[in-house]
Amino acid sequence: MKLLDNPASPYCRKVKILLHELGMSDAVELVQTGGHPTAPNAAALAHNPIGKIPTLIRDDGPALYDSRVICRFINDHASGSFYPEGTIWETLTLEATAEGALDAAVLMVYENRSRAEGTQDPAWLEGQWAKIDAAITVLEQRWMAHLAGPIDMGVVAVGCLLDYVDFRHPDRDWRAAHPALADWFEKFGKRDSMRATIPRNP
Ligand code: BEZ
C-alpha cells in the first residue's frame, strides 16, 4: 500500500501514528505529495476527486480517503483497538472535535499563505481561532478522563491537533488557560509514535 503523504499535514500524521502504534510502518510506502488548495496535486487527484491527502492507494481495491476512513480501515485490517466498540461514539466524537479544530487551524495557515502580507482578513483568522479555542476548552472541561485512558484514534487526533497548533500557530498560548490538557500533552508527546512523526516543512 502507498500513502500520499506530506510531513507537515496533521491528517497524514494521524495515519502515520496509527501505523507506528500498530507496528505497521513498513507495510505502507510513504509518497511525498505537495499541493495547494487552488492547485491540487496530480497524483492525489488521480486517486481522489477532491485531490486531498492523506489518500491510501491499495493493491487490491480503490483508494481510500480521508484520514478517518483510512485510520478505520487500517485499524480493522490489523484488528487494532483504536476504534473500541465499547466507547465508539466517544472515540468518534473526540476525533471529530480534534479534526474540526484542525480544519480551522489549517484554514488559518492558508489565509496567511494565500494572501499578500497585510491583506489577510483578521476577522476570518480570529473566527477560525475561536473554533480552535472552543475545542481546546471543551477538551479540558469534558475529555480529560478519556484522554487519560487507553489510546484510541480520538486521543491520537487530539495529540496531532495540539502539536499542529504549536507548529503553525506558536504565538497562540493555549497552555496558560488549559493546564490539565497541557500536562497531558507533555506526557503524550513523548510516545515513540509522536516523536517519530514530528511535523516539519517538506
Ligand atoms: C501545512 O503545511 O501546514 C499543511 C500541509 C498539508 C496539509 C495540511 C497542512
Side-chain angles (χ1 to χ4, degrees), residues 41-53:
N41 182 277
L45 267 178
H47 295 280
N48 171 353
I50 314 299
K52 280 177 137 181
I53 54 166

Side-chain angles (χ1 to χ4, degrees), residues 74-119:
I74 290 171
N75 182 67
D76 278 14
H77 195 71
S79 302
S81 55
F82 283 73
Y83 289 98
E85 226 174 278
T87 59
I88 190 65
W89 302 115
E90 287 79 7
T91 298
L92 291 175
T93 302
L94 183 58
E95 186 177 19
T97 303
E99 285 249 346
L102 272 174
D103 293 346
V106 171
L107 285 175
M108 289 174 73
V109 169
Y110 288 157
E111 175 72 6
N112 283 322
R113 267 189 207 158
S114 322
R115 297 192 196 283
E117 188 64 36
T119 65

Side-chain angles (χ1 to χ4, degrees), residues 57-90:
I57 302 172
R58 296 186 290 164
D59 305 323
D60 55 355
L64 298 179
Y65 46 87
D66 54 9
S67 70
R68 282 182 260 190
V69 175
I70 295 171
C71 288
R72 204 138 175 196
F73 170 78
I74 290 171
N75 182 67
D76 278 14
H77 195 71
S79 302
S81 55
F82 283 73
Y83 289 98
E85 226 174 278
T87 59
I88 190 65
W89 302 115
E90 287 79 7

Side-chain angles (χ1 to χ4, degrees), residues 120-185:
Q120 291 90 359
D121 181 350
W124 167 265
L125 289 168
E126 289 317 305
Q128 298 307 325
W129 177 255
K131 294 181 194 187
I132 301 165
D133 190 41
I136 288 177
T137 299
V138 162
L139 291 175
E140 170 113 352
Q141 284 171 350
R142 172 180 164 195
W143 290 98
M144 292 316 302
H146 188 109
L147 291 171
I151 186 171
D152 63 17
M153 271 325 289
V155 175
V156 171
V158 172
C160 291
L161 166 66
L162 298 176
D163 231 3
Y164 187 75
V165 169
D166 286 347
F167 176 51
R168 289 297 189 211
H169 306 294
D171 50 324
R172 306 279 184 167
D173 179 15
W174 60 269
R175 286 175 175 78
H178 308 99
L181 190 62
D183 277 357
W184 170 81
F185 182 56

